[in-house]
Amino acid sequence: MNKLYLLLLPILGLLSSCINEDLSDCGVNYGLEYEVTLTTNVQTEISTELTTDVETEVGGRLLSALSGFFAEYANDVNLNFYDWAPPQALNHSEDHYIGGTSASYTIYLPAKDYRHLSVANIAGEPLVEMPATAHADDYRMIQAPGDTIDSHTYGLFSARKDMQVMGDRDQVFHVNLYMQNCAAALVIDPNGVEFTDIKVYMTDLATGFSVNDSTYVYGPAPIIRTHALNTDGVPLLCYYGTGFPSREIGTAGAPELRAAAQSGLWRIKVYVTLPEGSTTETILYLPDALRAGQLRIIKAVLVPNGEVKPNNPEIGTGVDLDWKQGGNYETDL
């Protein structure tokens, strides 16, 4: 567990006095102690799934490539304070640039009950935004629309906490921020098969995240581009992408039925262009959830007709040996 501490330190006393010591309408200074908690399986997944000498080399390069995504670093933080009681209207909002591992602020608000919601790393993330909102239920991370989009750039964190701010005491509130997006990687053994191009995409992932109730939003799922890892000198290929998690429950049945039913919680789409010009589409149906803070590695082998066969028999596949460009995909496939 990696931890990033953002300490919002209290200043003793009130910024203003109140008539007859009635503190209910007074603003007070209080402390917020933030702990950005990165709970991830990255090291375990790499060491468990990539075990041979060549796989270990790929694993090291993948770890380096994802270091900026699974990072102990916060660029920015947005702090929102809503009424605790419905309809939980917004009282106060602050934006701060952190640019490191710690920062100190002073918060001054009237003494009352609040629903506190916050997010980190949103300002610099081009694929996700936080629309202006007047109520807590509308405070959401919303992914950029589009048929095909890029992978997320940063790990995104959020927190929620009920706070009873009192005017007659010094208070420090402890708030935990947790990662809300994740990553997946497809490692392919080309197996001596010649090809001119390979493109890999992910889909069926969440399109947003509601901070107030900690639930994901699932709209029309875009196709998410992955990155090709630099594997020069290593006889393996690797493609990795980042985005929001998959659904937890889907149509996938018992393990022995998953591949036959071609069911899954999310999919990886692979397009292999062969020397004669034909393109083979392989769709991998992933039966297990891709969760926040996680890295999932899938290993596969390329066969002469361009199909990508997963090593895990529980992963279902769908193959089109003569795939043609359709209206739902961009022309650079």
Side-chain angles (χ1 to χ4, degrees):
M1 179 180 293
N2 301 312
K3 295 181 179 179
L4 165 64
Y5 295 95
L6 310 178
L7 300 179
L8 307 187
L9 303 179
I11 295 179
L12 299 179
L14 303 176
L15 291 185
S16 61
S17 61
C18 293
I19 299 175
N20 297 325
E21 299 300 320
D22 179 4
L23 302 180
S24 61
D25 294 326
C26 269
V28 297
N29 294 289
Y30 62 92
L32 286 174
E33 185 176 274
Y34 276 74
E35 181 178 303
V36 180
T37 304
L38 178 59
T39 303
T40 179
N41 71 335
V42 173
Q43 293 277 5
T44 301
E45 182 75 356
I46 289 176
S47 62
T48 300
E49 295 297 328
L50 304 177
T51 57
T52 68
D53 289 343
V54 292
E55 288 177 349
T56 300
E57 176 63 27
V58 171
R61 298 186 190 187
L62 179 60
L63 182 63
S64 177
L66 288 171
S67 61
F69 182 75
F70 294 103
E72 295 181 344
Y73 188 92
N75 290 297
D76 53 83
V77 64
N78 173 248
L79 312 176
N80 277 15
F81 301 86
Y82 298 88
D83 290 336
W84 179 82
Q88 295 187 314
L90 180 65
N91 273 249
H92 182 70
S93 181
E94 294 186 8
D95 292 293
H96 296 278
Y97 176 73
I98 299 171
T101 60
S102 64
S104 299
Y105 311 110
T106 299
I107 303 299
Y108 177 79
L109 287 174
K112 59 187 294 185
D113 294 343
Y114 293 97
R115 178 66 162 169
H116 174 52
L117 305 177
S118 57
V119 295
N121 288 345
I122 291 292
E125 174 52 64
L127 271 299
V128 178
E129 62 179 15
M130 300 290 298
T133 173
H135 296 92
D137 283 344
D138 299 323
Y139 189 65
R140 294 181 175 185
M141 300 180 185
I142 301 297
Q143 189 168 259
D147 292 333
T148 306
I149 65 173
D150 291 331
S151 286
H152 293 180
T153 304
Y154 297 105
L156 305 176
F157 296 85
S158 76
R160 54 185 181 146
K161 188 176 184 64
D162 291 330
M163 301 167 53
Q164 186 179 20
V165 177
M166 300 179 182
D168 59 351
R169 67 190 66 180
D170 296 328
Q171 292 176 282
V172 177
F173 295 93
H174 301 272
V175 181
N176 292 308
L177 285 153
Y178 295 100
M179 191 172 185
Q180 303 303 339
N181 47 359
C182 49
L186 177 65
V187 178
I188 303 174
D189 180 356
N191 198 30
V193 176
E194 294 186 4
F195 60 90
T196 60
D197 189 38
I198 295 181
K199 284 186 169 60
V200 179
Y201 300 81
M202 308 188 304
T203 191
D204 301 332
L205 303 182
T207 56
F209 177 74
S210 177
V211 179
N212 195 33
D213 59 5
S214 192
T215 58
Y216 289 95
V217 179
Y218 294 91
I223 305 298
I224 299 176
R225 301 181 185 94
T226 66
H227 305 282
L229 184 70
N230 180 2
T231 57
D232 290 348
V234 180
L236 293 174
L237 306 172
C238 180
Y239 301 84
Y240 64 95
T242 53
F244 285 124
S246 71
R247 287 181 171 86
E248 282 290 329
I249 299 175
T251 57
E256 64 271 14
L257 300 178
R258 288 171 177 169
Q262 291 189 352
S263 59
L265 300 179
W266 57 292
R267 292 174 291 167
I268 291 178
K269 296 188 174 187
V270 188
Y271 298 88
V272 178
T273 302
L274 300 175
E276 66 270 21
S278 67
T279 297
T280 297
E281 176 194 58
T282 302
I283 301 177
L284 305 180
Y285 297 85
L286 286 303
D288 298 311
L290 178 61
R291 298 187 174 97
Q294 286 192 344
L295 167 66
R296 178 62 56 82
I297 295 175
I298 298 95
K299 296 193 293 184
V301 177
L302 183 63
V303 298
N305 64 7
E307 177 184 356
V308 175
K309 291 190 173 183
N311 292 8
N312 183 351
E314 293 185 10
I315 298 175
T317 60
V319 180
D320 184 347
L321 296 178
D322 192 21
W323 178 83
K324 302 296 183 184
Q325 175 69 44
N328 293 330
Y329 300 95
E330 56 185 11
T331 56
D332 68 355
L333 281 179

